[in-house]
């Protein structure tokens, strides 16, 4: 193993609470039922695919233009909330583990579905930390398609066989498996049948990447 590719939301940081607030505001305005259980289904899923999941509970049909307006409105709320993030939102455990992996010589990359990845990394003080960033701005197919991880591997010049993917979402483990990557799962991702390593905590990566 020469490189580690990290998912962002749910692995490096926890923006799901902001996604929830922003989607809930939109859903309430439209009179669409939305709760934490539905929010859990949005993990690792692209913005437009997330909206389609939310609209399963809608009583009217929305045009493509209306859907694009709704996604933009949700994103504007979300980006406002992201402005409150700071380096204190990066845990000591994540910071320490990333630094130790770097000391051990691993290349480190991000593989996230989010189009706001670079802003989030900047807010956390990690704007220049990673060797490569593959995110929602450079892909056409979202997880469980492996594109985001294959691009990350390409950006750092390593084959999938030499990269470990770290994920919190089942869709992310599926994507890693489909791309020929080993994976380390956190939380519900450990339940996926194709996960290679089940982590109890982020720092357990130091046992996998010796
Ligand atoms: P955006 P990840 C994902 O991030 C989130 O888990 C998911 O809830 C979100 O819909 C997606 O990014 C797109 O985010 O609206 O910012 O482009 O887990 O792949 O890092
Ligand atoms: Mg995630």
């Amino acid at each position: 193993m020469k490189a580690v590719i990290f998912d962002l939301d749910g692995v490096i940081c926890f923006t799901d609470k902001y996604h929830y607030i922003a989607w809930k505001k939109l859903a309430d305005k439209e009179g669409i039922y939305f709760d934490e259980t539905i929010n859990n289904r949005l993990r690792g899923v692209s913005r437009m695919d997330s909206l389609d999941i939310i609209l399963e509970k809608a009583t009217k049909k929305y045009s493509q233009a209306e859907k694009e307006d709704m996604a933009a409105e949700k994103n504007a709320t979300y980006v406002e909330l992201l402005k409150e993030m700071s380096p204190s939102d990066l845990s000591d455990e994540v910071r320490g583990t990333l630094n130790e992996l770097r000391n051990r010589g691993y290349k480190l990359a991000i593989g996230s579905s989010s189009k706001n990845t670079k802003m989030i990394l900047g807010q956390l003080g990690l704007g220049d930390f990673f060797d490569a960033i593959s995110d929602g701005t450079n892909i056409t197919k979202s997880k469980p398609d492996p594109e985001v991880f294959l691009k990350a591997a390409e950006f750092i010049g390593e084959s999938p066989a030499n990269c470990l993917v770290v994920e919190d979402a089942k869709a992310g483990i599926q994507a890693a498996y489909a791309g020929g990557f080993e994976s380390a799962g956190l939380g519900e991702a450990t339940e996926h049948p194709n996960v290679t390593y089940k982590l109890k905590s982020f720092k357990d990566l130091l046992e996998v990447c010796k």
Side-chain angles (χ1 to χ4, degrees), residues 11-106:
V11 171
I12 300 289
C13 63
F14 299 90
T15 40
D16 54 344
K17 56 182 180 289
Y18 300 129
H19 281 296
Y20 176 78
I21 294 167
W23 281 127
K24 179 78 178 146
K25 186 176 172 196
L26 178 80
D28 285 352
K29 187 177 152 200
E30 295 293 325
I32 301 166
Y33 179 78
F34 180 65
D35 63 14
E36 296 273 0
T37 309
I38 299 170
N39 194 54
N40 284 342
R41 289 173 58 203
L42 311 183
R43 243 176 241 149
V45 177
S46 73
R47 197 179 305 163
M48 287 311 280
D49 289 348
S50 296
L51 179 60
D52 283 334
I53 290 173
I54 287 163
L55 294 182
E56 288 171 9
K57 295 276 185 210
T59 45
K60 66 168 260 199
K61 191 137 174 56
Y62 292 87
S63 68
Q64 189 57 28
E66 284 173 322
K67 282 165 62 170
E68 276 161 24
D69 285 349
M70 289 161 86
E73 190 176 323
K74 179 267 174 179
N75 193 54
T77 311
Y78 178 61
V79 166
E80 272 311 303
L81 295 166
L82 290 181
K83 289 179 184 164
E84 290 167 26
M85 287 184 90
S86 73
S88 66
D89 287 297
L90 187 68
S91 72
D92 290 342
E93 178 183 358
V94 170
R95 190 190 304 277
T97 304
L98 289 174
N99 285 331
E100 179 57 22
L101 289 171
R102 162 105 344 123
N103 289 340
R104 292 182 187 184
Y106 288 94

Side-chain angles (χ1 to χ4, degrees), residues 7-11 13 43-45 111-113 143 166-169 172:
D7 173 53
L8 184 62
D9 175 26
V11 171
C13 63
R43 243 176 241 149
V45 177
S112 166
S113 305
K143 301 166 190 174
V166 188
E167 259 290 349
D168 69 309

